[in-house]
Structures are given as C-alpha cells and as structure tokens.
Amino acid sequence: MTTVDGVRRLPVPPKPRRPKAMLIGWAIAAVVVAAHTVAWETTGISLGALVDGWRGMADFLGEAIPPDLSWKVLGPSLDAALVTLWIGLLGTTLSVPISLLLALLAARGTAPAEWVYQAARAVLSFLRAVPDVVFALIFVTAVGLGPFPGVLALVCHNVGVMGKLWAEALEDADPGPPQALRSAGANRVQVAAHALLPSVLPQLAGLLMYRFDVNVRSSLVLGLVGAGGIGFLINQSIKLFKFDEMLTHILVVVVLVVAVDRLSAVVRRRLSEGDHA
C-alpha cells in the first residue's frame, strides 16, 4: 500500500472472472451454429446448383425482357392492380372494429377479467398464427374465386396482428389520465373512450397505416391462390409461359407498392409530427 500526498492508494482488485457466464455464452454459440448447420443441410442449400443454373435464369430473363407494354396487357394489369389495392384497403379497414374490441379485451388495463384477457389473447394468437394464404384457400373453397375471399382472408389475419399491436400500445399508454378518471368514478368504457384511446390515437393510426401497407403486399400473394387481383394475372402468365406479360405485371406491382409505401410513410410522419406538437 502506497501513499501520495497523504492519500492512501489501494490496489485495483483484479477483474472477476465469470467462468459460468463464459460457459453459457459458448454453449449458446454452439447451439446457434449447430442449428444453422442442420438448417443448411435440411433445406438443401447448394451454391453450386445456383451457379450451374445460370443458363436457365438467363433463358428466363431473355424471354421476359423486354416486357409487353401493349395496352392489351397493360390495361388489364392496371385494372387488376386497382383490385389488389381495394383488397388491401378493405382487408385493413373492415378489420378495425373487431381489432379494436379484441385489443381492449387483450390489454390488462381495460380487460374486465383475467379470463377475458387470456381468451382475447388466445383468439389473437390463433388469427395471427394462421397465414393469410391459408385463410384465402379456405374462403376460396367457401365462396369461390375472386377478390372477396382475399378480403375475408386479410380481415381474419389482420385482426390477429393489428389487435395484438393495438393491445400493446394500450398497455404502454400513459397511466395518468385513466387513473384520474377512475378516481372520479368513471367506469371502464368511459375511461377507454375519454382517456385511454385519445392518448394513443396517433399510435393506433400509425399502426393502421403500416398494416395497410403490408396488406397491399399480402394481397398480391393471395392472388396466386385464386383470390383475385394482379397476383392472379402473374400466376396465369407464368402457367402460360408468357414471361414478357409477367414482367409487365411485376413492373405494375412495383409502382403500386412504392406508391402505397410512400403514402403510408407520409401519413405516419404527419401523425408523428402531430403527436409531438
């Protein structure tokens, strides 16, 4: 022990070693590497096969380029793109009432009882777990081909996703205004309508616009299974080996997705600015 200007300097203790933590870290790393190795072998990933298939890809692109931009192809493609947009729009907006109800029942601050909370969470988990494509196949067999089963499929899946997102937003809301109303004797409905929902409305609207963006993209895939829209034309072009028409439809899809993405981003930014104002 030494002193400097009368002040004692104690030795710096050695950094404690944590062999148990290091062992756990190495074990986790080994599990991750093993899982990726099994996944690589199971999925049959082969970079050699990808390189050897360049000729087939070149032939495919050669038949697709240039795209067929004649009005005979472009006109129906634009009409189908609008149908895809309407499927995504209705699939989003028609799910709002059910999503809001389940979100209120699946948030701890607004659920009337624990069993109601657990039941609402279970319903949301089920709707979220079943892919929208599976819902589309079910509704196609029920109501036939066309945009209608696509709308129903998006509504079911979107309720599960948006209900969960909204429930989490409600649980993360500022507890001050709801507590003030409860202390004044307000019931759960009054607290939700006059304090909780107004405080999180910008977040709910932003999540709604995000889901609209996602649903428009999802409606493209639903068209591949007969749920209407431009996805149906893409699937039909591939089956008929009309790859130049397929590329035309894909270009229209790109324009549609970019436009919806920009619109959704602008609305979410305005909502964010209004929330911070």
Side-chain angles (χ1 to χ4, degrees):
M1 183 183 302
T2 60
T3 60
V4 178
D5 296 334
V7 179
R8 292 188 305 173
R9 296 183 60 185
L10 299 176
V12 179
K15 185 177 181 180
R17 296 183 178 181
R18 299 179 179 177
K20 185 177 181 180
M22 293 180 60
L23 183 61
I24 293 176
W26 281 109
I28 293 175
V31 170
V32 171
V33 171
H36 280 77
T37 302
V38 173
W40 186 282
E41 294 295 331
T42 304
T43 55
I45 294 179
S46 173
L47 299 180
L50 181 61
V51 173
D52 294 339
W54 70 270
R55 189 179 301 278
M57 290 186 290
D59 294 339
F60 176 81
L61 293 176
E63 295 180 13
I65 300 175
D68 186 353
L69 298 178
S70 63
W71 187 250
K72 180 181 178 181
V73 176
L74 189 58
S77 183
L78 295 175
D79 292 338
L82 285 177
V83 173
T84 296
L85 179 63
W86 304 145
I87 293 174
L89 177 64
L90 292 177
T92 304
T93 55
L94 294 181
S95 64
V96 168
I98 306 176
S99 299
L100 183 58
L101 175 61
L102 289 176
L104 290 171
L105 297 178
R108 290 198 178 274
T110 55
E114 178 65 21
W115 71 269
V116 175
Y117 169 82
Q118 296 296 341
R121 285 279 175 170
V123 171
L124 292 177
S125 297
F126 170 76
L127 295 176
R128 191 171 63 255
V130 178
D132 46 16
V133 175
V134 175
F135 278 124
L137 291 172
I138 295 173
F139 286 121
V140 163
T141 59
V143 300
L145 299 174
F148 183 40
V151 173
L152 296 176
L154 285 182
V155 168
C156 291
H157 184 72
N158 195 60
V159 165
V161 177
M162 199 159 62
K164 180 179 184 297
L165 294 176
W166 281 2
E168 293 178 350
L170 292 173
E171 290 184 346
D172 294 338
D174 182 9
Q179 289 178 357
L181 280 184
R182 290 191 191 99
S183 63
N187 57 34
R188 291 180 179 272
V189 176
Q190 292 172 331
V191 170
H194 299 289
L196 190 57
L197 289 178
S199 66
V200 298
L201 188 58
Q203 291 91 331
L204 300 187
L207 292 171
L208 178 65
M209 291 304 303
Y210 168 72
R211 287 303 305 171
F212 171 59
D213 184 10
V214 173
N215 286 335
V216 171
R217 301 166 192 256
S218 298
S219 62
L220 303 174
V221 181
L222 299 184
L224 299 177
V225 296
I230 198 169
F232 180 77
L233 293 184
I234 293 176
N235 188 33
Q236 193 176 36
S237 299
I238 293 175
K239 289 182 177 180
L240 297 176
F241 300 100
K242 297 181 178 180
F243 300 120
D244 54 344
E245 295 184 7
M246 178 207 69
L247 183 56
T248 301
H249 302 322
I250 291 177
L251 292 177
V252 173
V253 166
V254 171
V255 174
L256 174 64
V257 169
V258 170
V260 172
D261 180 69
R262 294 307 305 159
L263 174 63
S264 178
V266 169
V267 173
R268 291 200 302 268
R269 185 170 63 250
R270 293 289 178 86
L271 291 172
S272 178
E273 292 173 354
D275 189 26
H276 292 106

